[in-house]
Amino acid sequence: GQQLNQSPQSMFIQEGEDVSMNCTSSSIFNTWLWYKQDPGEGPVLLIALYKAGELTSNGRLTAQFGITRKDSFLNISASIPSDVGIYFCAGQRIGGGADGLTFGKGTHLIIQP
Amino acid sequence: ETGVTQTPRHLVMGMTNKKSLKCEQHLGHNAMYWYKQSAKKPLELMFVYSLEERVENNSVPSRFSPECPNSSHLFLHLHTLQPEDSALYLCASSQVGQGNEQFFGPGTRLTVL
């Protein structure tokens, strides 16, 4: 089946630092999504990307849909303590259809004061 | 209630029990999903319902039985589960034809003894 390789697996950073994480796939996706999950909760959608090459921002978060449609990255600028959590990338094969998401294994972000 | 709700939030059951998980979406969406989240594994898609019809079943064992009586409600009926079925079960919903961003509930933490 399809797999997403998400890296890094975990990040230990200082408050105020910028963060970068990415996902790559052997298959093409038509939609890329980035989610954040806090302990005991479901994933919360951060950014959705629909077109190859698209660059989208949501506050301090910026994500890009790779031009080959096989990768995406998420950047967080000037990290703050509430950014702690697990970040997941997810790809969808069919844009706009009822299609399940393929998820990466997640990047665990830990911020040291 | 807003968003996607799931009940119960926690469930402990024996291998011979029968139980059901419930999901309700208050977003007016027309597609609903069940995912399984196990430790150190990516979220795994289990079932997809679009317009109340099952459109995908990812080779899930028959001891898991989904039901979608209407576009707002989704159930997962559990019967003679195994300890390895212990996981966080997440429900999601989306609006097919409009980007299909999936919004998740908080999950049900299931423990099978």
Side-chain angles (χ1 to χ4, degrees):
Chain A
Q2 295 173 318
Q3 290 188 344
L4 291 184
N5 298 309
Q6 184 172 351
S7 63
Q9 188 173 1
S10 58
M11 300 183 74
F12 295 81
I13 65 166
Q14 301 285 334
E15 183 177 348
E17 287 185 30
D18 296 342
V19 171
S20 184
M21 59 191 79
N22 69 82
C23 271
T24 59
S25 169
S26 57
S27 305
I28 289 173
F29 287 103
N30 285 307
T31 302
W32 282 93
L33 303 165
W34 285 92
Y35 288 86
K36 180 186 180 220
Q37 187 174 25
D38 292 326
E41 299 296 331
V44 174
L45 182 65
L46 300 174
I47 291 180
L49 302 159
Y50 303 106
K51 290 169 55 177
E54 179 181 356
L55 183 71
T56 297
S57 293
N58 178 7
R60 293 179 296 106
L61 278 60
T62 302
Q64 184 158 31
F65 191 146
I67 198 73
T68 65
R69 295 195 286 161
K70 292 183 178 182
D71 63 302
S72 178
F73 72 75
L74 175 70
N75 289 342
I76 305 173
S77 63
S79 59
I80 60 177
S82 62
D83 290 334
V84 167
I86 304 176
Y87 292 80
F88 292 97
C89 63
Q92 187 181 38
R93 293 167 298 171
I94 303 172
D99 189 32
L101 297 173
T102 300
F103 279 84
K105 288 188 176 182
T107 295
H108 194 177
L109 181 61
I110 299 162
I111 298 178
Q112 299 164 326
Chain B
E1 293 279 13
T2 59
V4 181
T5 57
Q6 290 186 243
T7 54
R9 293 293 308 272
H10 300 271
L11 178 62
V12 179
M13 59 186 290
M15 289 191 285
T16 58
N17 292 157
K18 286 185 181 180
K19 296 287 184 182
S20 295
L21 309 184
K22 179 184 176 182
C23 175
E24 184 173 0
Q25 60 94 3
H26 309 268
L27 300 169
H29 288 165
N30 56 15
M32 298 187 76
Y33 310 78
W34 279 116
Y35 288 86
K36 177 184 178 184
Q37 187 175 34
S38 304
K40 299 184 180 180
K41 293 177 69 175
L43 276 81
E44 302 170 70
L45 177 68
M46 299 176 72
F47 300 103
V48 179
Y49 276 85
S50 178
L51 301 173
E52 301 152 44
E53 288 191 19
R54 192 191 310 179
V55 297
E56 189 164 347
N57 173 358
N58 267 14
S59 302
V60 178
S62 59
R63 57 185 183 270
F64 295 91
S65 175
E67 179 189 2
C68 187
N70 55 61
S71 61
S72 298
H73 294 85
L74 185 65
F75 295 89
L76 188 62
H77 303 299
L78 314 173
H79 173 54
T80 59
L81 295 192
Q82 305 297 313
E84 59 265 29
D85 296 323
S86 299
L88 182 68
Y89 287 85
L90 290 159
C91 171
S93 71
S94 71
Q95 183 64 19
V96 172
Q98 295 183 10
N100 199 33
E101 297 104 332
Q102 293 182 22
F103 294 86
F104 285 82
T108 295
R109 173 66 64 187
L110 174 67
T111 302
V112 181
L113 302 177

